[in-house]
Amino acid sequence: MRLFHACAIALTVLAPGAALAASAEHGKAMFILHGCWQCHGTQGQGSIATSGGKRLAPNPLPWEAFSGFVRSTNRAMPPYSEKILSDGDLADIYAYLQSIPKPPDVNGITLLK
Amino acid sequence: MAREESQIKFNRRKFLAGVAIAGAAGAAAPPAARAATTALTPGTTPRPSALRPSAAVAANETATPPAMAKSEGVPASDFMVDVIKSLDIKYMPCNPADSFRGLHESLINYGGNKSPEFLTCTHEEAAVAMAHGYFKIAGKPLMVCVHGTVGLQHAAMAIYNAWCDRVPVIVVGGNDLDASKRAPGVPTFHSAQDISSLVRDFTKWDDQPVSLPHFAQSFVRAYKLAMTPPHEPVMIALDAALQESTTLDRAKLTIPRYVPTSPPQGDGNAVREAARLLANAERPVIVVDKCARTENGVKLLVELAEALQAPVIDQKGRMNFPNTHYLSQNARGRALLGQADVILGLELSDYWGTVNGWIDNGDDDGSGLQESHVKPNAKLISISSILLNTKANYQDFQRFQVVDVEMAADAEATLPALIEAVKQALPANQRAAVEARGGGLKKAWSETRDRTRQAASYAWDASPISTARMAMEVYAQIKDLDWSSVGGDRQFSAWPTRLWPMDKHYHHIGGPGGYGVGYGLPAAVGAALANRDAGRFSVSFQPDGDLMYSPGALWTAARHKIPLLTVMHNNRGYHQETMHVQRMSNRRNRVAYLGKDLGPLGTRIENPDIDYAKLASALGVYSAGPITEPNELAPALKKAVQAVKAGEPALVDVVTQPR
């Protein structure tokens, strides 16, 4: 959690929307600030709160589908308008999600056998 | 009842005996007797309607036997203890209070603190929740004494949870009724005309006995009603003066025998009609919530599902159906319901919500999107006992759903007849199709299992620790023990009920019923108490917000040596509310204000973080944590499991992903 506090503090330095083109680090801070982590988990792994565990990472949806969804979804996820989440910040969130590595192979995890 | 009046009432025999003996001895009559004599018309000699008995006969029949001559009677609350003992109530989780001091004293000094054994609780809400959790493992109710006013106010939320969850708890509220006799000041603040009115909307029955025979009947009736499905909490308001009075009548007081009431069974015609629909269905689906009350209930459900080769969607209000069985198809519930032609709902808390969807997206002028999840011509069948016990005020009966065949009956009790009827109704030419259905479901079951394992692997190494990782690290430590999961798991993606193989009726205990926060810890302690007596290992995942309502239940577990492994699902927030406020902020196009927190202001439990391990050890519980790195979990859990195996409670604080 300390890590995420550090990100939250960084927000006070980086004004939301400050165009740091496709910065995964800033994207992570925005992912926290805008509450994506609340339902999707800090690594976009999904949860009971994302309709059957929909995942954002690794391999997020193509950008158009991704951004289109965030802006205009009208179902279980509350949409984010540009008024509260700028295109730049959303692009950074996308970069953060792209930077998340694949999980270990499930067949190699003893506890999941 | 007034303290002195009750004294007089219960001493009436002694008083009458006194008159007879005094009369025989020619001594002066007591003042009350004198008053009665002078009330006759002056100058007339009273004429008896029958011959007076001789002094010797009168003495034999009415006087105190010589052996009891020095006795001053029996405390009335001793008799109450005899009544309670007749019902074999093993424990009484309780926070002490003077309005039931008479009964308390009798329980420990006369009753020997056995059946029930007093378990000291630090809050009435925790005491009732302990009884709630205990029942879900033991299948037997506990009683809880509370101060009838302030204690009952504390207990009320937990009683509501038990009500919504259909769990019997016998609540006894102390009260001092006689306004002219009770102590002024605090005890009078703690008295009311009708204490039970506070919980009448969510108790099945209540009474305020005014005599000992009345108490005996009320208590046995309360127990009986609570234990007749639908099981529900009941309430006895117990006058302090009655408890503290003395009775010379003990030998004449009787205790009604408890005879269990058989649970209501579905009407024969309705059962046959349901069976006909199910047997002829192409895609029948069984949905269960609070169906299996007992071990046998699980077996019966398996038998029904197998007879039909019908998928079972378990809403997990009870351990209804083994998730190891290929007909367990929770993950595909929505799709299966969408294709179903016949749906059988067994003890569903919310039938409407089962066959309809509601999406909190602000549509329809803010009230949310509603849509049906089932085909318009799907036939709906319901067996639920809750129809027999619905009240008006609290809305636990949920939205109204039109159902084609509806039985006001206990599902488990109706299952044998339904299984029989289904077997008879299955057309011979349908058998092959039924078998084929099973084949498809076996495949779907193992595919779902693989997908679930895969889903659990994401964020496997994350910090804060993923909830799937937490669940599986715990399982690795307990899988060879005879374990019982005594907490809910909805708040962390239901990993245990999805991934732990659960096939025994005590493998999980369902949720709180009314979702009143503060249930989790004490209910787990209560369930662990029942598991202790059965020689099982109890484990619970404990949300942080819930823990802080009555952390004192940890001390109760330590004090009474109740072994329980508590693993904190510590997401440092009231996370459901975090998401709600985020949703509202988005809807109103405002960036949620976080202050210095990680979530919308007011929803987080941080700044400062609570050190749950320190809290637990301050309350006498073995503890470890906070653990933020997943590879530190196994060694910490191993030690905690050892402590629990040695008979103590233990807590491991795990800082987790939110859900």
Side-chain angles (χ1 to χ4, degrees):
Chain A
M1 221 26 113
R2 211 176 301 128
L3 184 62
F4 284 96
H5 270 298
C7 292
I9 290 160
L11 295 174
T12 48
V13 185
L14 295 169
L20 271 178
S23 152
E25 200 184 325
H26 181 245
K28 187 172 185 176
M30 293 297 109
F31 195 76
I32 300 302
L33 175 76
H34 289 287
C36 318
W37 71 284
Q38 297 168 13
C39 305
H40 289 283
T42 61
Q43 298 197 355
Q45 72 268 24
S47 75
I48 200 163
T50 58
S51 307
K54 278 207 177 126
R55 270 189 298 279
L56 301 184
N59 304 327
L61 294 172
W63 166 252
E64 286 69 29
F66 177 89
S67 58
F69 187 91
V70 172
R71 295 287 183 222
S72 61
T73 175
N74 188 27
R75 292 191 60 89
M77 170 169 150
Y80 287 78
S81 74
E82 280 171 58
K83 213 173 150 193
I84 52 175
L85 173 62
S86 72
D87 281 339
D89 286 345
L90 186 56
D92 287 352
I93 287 176
Y94 191 70
Y96 167 60
L97 294 171
Q98 281 180 311
S99 76
I100 291 172
K102 276 205 171 88
D105 175 14
V106 64
N107 295 317
I109 302 177
T110 323
L111 298 185
L112 288 176
K113 278 191 175 142
Chain B
M1 174 177 305
R3 217 172 278 273
E4 275 164 30
E5 267 176 23
S6 85
Q7 202 85 22
I8 290 167
K9 181 161 189 176
F10 290 102
N11 289 348
R12 194 184 293 139
R13 286 220 67 82
K14 184 183 179 187
F15 162 67
L16 289 176
V19 174
I21 294 164
R34 240 184 279 137
T37 314
T38 49
L40 294 166
T41 318
T44 58
T45 311
R47 288 176 52 196
S49 59
L51 275 182
R52 281 175 179 278
S54 72
V57 169
N60 271 347
E61 285 188 355
T62 57
T64 308
M68 284 180 67
K70 284 194 188 139
S71 154
E72 287 174 0
V74 175
S77 50
D78 285 4
F79 172 69
M80 294 174 180
V81 169
D82 292 339
V83 174
I84 294 163
K85 279 182 181 288
S86 78
L87 293 162
D88 191 27
I89 295 170
K90 220 165 161 190
Y91 303 102
M92 182 170 86
C94 189
N95 183 248
D98 70 284
S99 56
F100 56 88
R101 64 185 187 177
L103 182 58
H104 184 157
E105 190 275 340
S106 289
L107 281 164
I108 59 168
N109 293 332
Y110 168 73
N113 194 31
K114 279 212 181 82
S115 294
E117 177 187 342
F118 197 106
L119 304 178
T120 311
C121 295
T122 58
H123 196 297
E124 291 84 351
E125 182 176 292
V128 173
M130 270 183 73
H132 186 160
Y134 179 89
F135 175 81
K136 285 171 98 176
I137 289 292
K140 292 190 74 177
L142 297 182
M143 70 180 276
V144 178
C145 284
V146 298
H147 237 332
T149 50
V150 287
L152 190 61
Q153 288 159 18
H154 276 157
M157 189 286 288
I159 298 174
Y160 185 62
N161 269 341
W163 166 263
C164 295
D165 202 24
R166 306 185 202 167
V167 164
V169 181
I170 297 159
V171 184
V172 175
N175 189 28
D176 205 341
L177 278 168
D178 189 332
S180 69
K181 302 276 169 51
R182 68 186 168 224
V186 177
T188 294
F189 278 122
H190 291 175
S191 301
Q193 282 181 40
D194 177 12
I195 56 168
S196 306
S197 64
L198 183 70
V199 294
R200 193 160 287 137
D201 277 326
F202 42 91
T203 43
K204 196 179 204 178
W205 184 75
D206 67 86
D207 198 11
Q208 180 159 278
V210 297
S211 68
L212 288 183
H214 187 176
F215 173 83
Q217 289 178 19
S218 288
F219 201 84
V220 177
R221 189 197 296 268
Y223 187 96
K224 194 172 159 70
L225 288 171
M227 285 299 284
T228 304
H231 297 140
E232 295 294 6
V234 289
M235 172 84 210
I236 298 285
L238 196 52
D239 183 30
L242 180 61
Q243 297 169 51
E244 293 181 27
S245 67
T246 303
T247 178
L248 291 178
D249 269 352
R250 177 60 191 93
K252 293 209 173 137
L253 289 169
T254 56
I255 301 172
R257 191 161 52 93
Y258 167 59
V259 182
T261 313
S262 55
Q265 235 184 291
D267 163 69
N269 285 333
V271 168
R272 274 189 294 281
E273 175 61 5
R276 189 186 65 77
L277 288 170
L278 287 163
N280 290 288
E282 270 175 38
R283 293 174 181 275
V285 172
I286 302 171
V287 191
V288 288
D289 186 5
K290 298 183 171 104
C291 177
R293 291 187 278 102
T294 65
E295 188 175 0
N296 193 42
V298 180
K299 283 192 196 135
L300 289 169
L301 207 47
V302 170
E303 198 180 338
L304 177 69
E306 286 180 351
L308 288 162
Q309 291 297 313
V312 176
I313 301 167
D314 193 343
Q315 297 177 337
K316 303 181 201 170
R318 296 287 184 277
M319 167 59 213
N320 294 300
F321 195 78
N323 64 3
T324 48
H325 196 292
Y326 65 91
L327 291 172
S328 166
Q329 298 278 338
N330 301 339
R332 300 173 60 235
R334 174 81 187 274
L336 289 165
L337 283 170
Q339 298 159 359
D341 50 356
V342 178
I343 296 165
L344 170 66
L346 297 175
E347 302 287 359
L348 302 189
S349 311
D350 181 7
Y351 211 124
W352 187 93
T354 300
V355 293
N356 292 283
W358 175 78
I359 294 178
D360 190 5
N361 64 356
D363 267 15
D364 198 11
D365 284 335
S367 63
L369 180 75
Q370 303 185 22
E371 56 192 10
S372 171
H373 281 174
V374 298
K375 291 199 228 166
N377 56 352
K379 292 276 181 225
L380 307 186
I381 306 168
S382 170
I383 310 180
S384 171
S385 56
I386 209 66
L387 285 170
L388 300 166
N389 191 47
T390 299
K391 296 198 183 185
N393 189 9
Y394 288 80
Q395 304 288 304
D396 53 284
F397 42 80
Q398 297 289 339
R399 287 202 191 183
F400 185 71
Q401 175 61 46
V402 176
V403 169
D404 298 281
V405 181
E406 185 155 38
M407 288 171 246
D410 178 62
E412 181 173 319
T414 309
L415 277 176
L418 183 63
I419 292 166
E420 210 36 56
V422 161
K423 285 181 178 165
Q424 279 177 19
L426 267 178
N429 61 5
Q430 188 103 332
R431 300 246 153 88
V434 168
E435 286 310 312
R437 204 149 64 202
L441 290 166
K442 271 183 195 147
K443 189 159 165 276
W445 183 87
S446 53
E447 283 167 3
T448 297
R449 169 132 192 105
D450 286 344
R451 264 201 308 278
T452 311
R453 287 173 53 237
Q454 182 75 50
S457 72
Y458 290 89
W460 188 251
D461 294 317
S463 170
I465 295 171
S466 102
T467 52
R469 176 80 182 257
M470 169 178 71
M472 296 320 286
E473 291 281 358
V474 170
Y475 185 66
Q477 300 300 328
I478 64 161
K479 66 181 190 320
D480 298 327
L481 306 171
D482 188 17
W483 55 267
S484 171
S485 169
V486 292
D489 67 4
R490 269 167 80 126
Q491 288 179 321
F492 61 104
S493 302
W495 292 114
T497 49
R498 287 162 74 195
L499 279 172
W500 296 11
M502 294 191 172
D503 55 8
K504 301 211 161 62
H505 70 285
Y506 52 82
H507 270 165
H508 80 82
I509 66 165
Y515 299 94
V517 185
Y519 157 94
L521 175 67
V525 172
L529 174 68
N531 276 327
R532 179 187 75 182
D533 295 349
R536 296 181 199 124
F537 185 97
S538 299
V539 58
S540 158
F541 293 93
Q542 175 60 49
D544 51 338
D546 182 282
L547 180 100
M548 291 309 291
Y549 276 74
S550 43
L554 286 171
W555 175 82
T556 300
R559 168 77 171 80
H560 295 285
K561 302 236 171 309
I562 301 172
L564 165 67
L565 174 60
T566 299
V567 181
M568 294 295 299
H569 161 39
N570 179 7
N571 59 19
R572 295 194 171 140
Y574 300 105
H575 195 71
Q576 196 67 28
E577 311 317 314
T578 301
M579 295 186 293
H580 274 305
V581 180
Q582 183 68 49
R583 184 177 296 282
M584 289 315 295
S585 305
N586 285 27
R587 191 170 297 169
R588 292 169 177 174
N589 266 318
R590 298 197 268 237
V591 176
Y593 179 57
L594 312 188
K596 290 187 174 151
D597 293 346
L598 284 185
L601 199 77
T603 67
R604 296 284 297 164
I605 311 173
E606 58 185 350
N607 294 321
D609 294 338
I610 298 174
D611 188 332
Y612 295 102
K614 272 198 188 141
L615 173 69
S617 63
L619 294 167
V621 171
Y622 172 93
S623 68
I627 296 175
T628 51
E629 294 305 320
N631 53 15
E632 289 169 10
L633 269 176
L637 287 167
K638 194 180 255 75
K639 282 194 200 147
V641 166
Q642 287 312 324
V644 176
K645 278 164 83 176
E648 317 175 32
L651 178 144
V652 179
D653 181 12
V654 186
V655 180
T656 60
Q657 291 285 322
R659 279 286 181 261

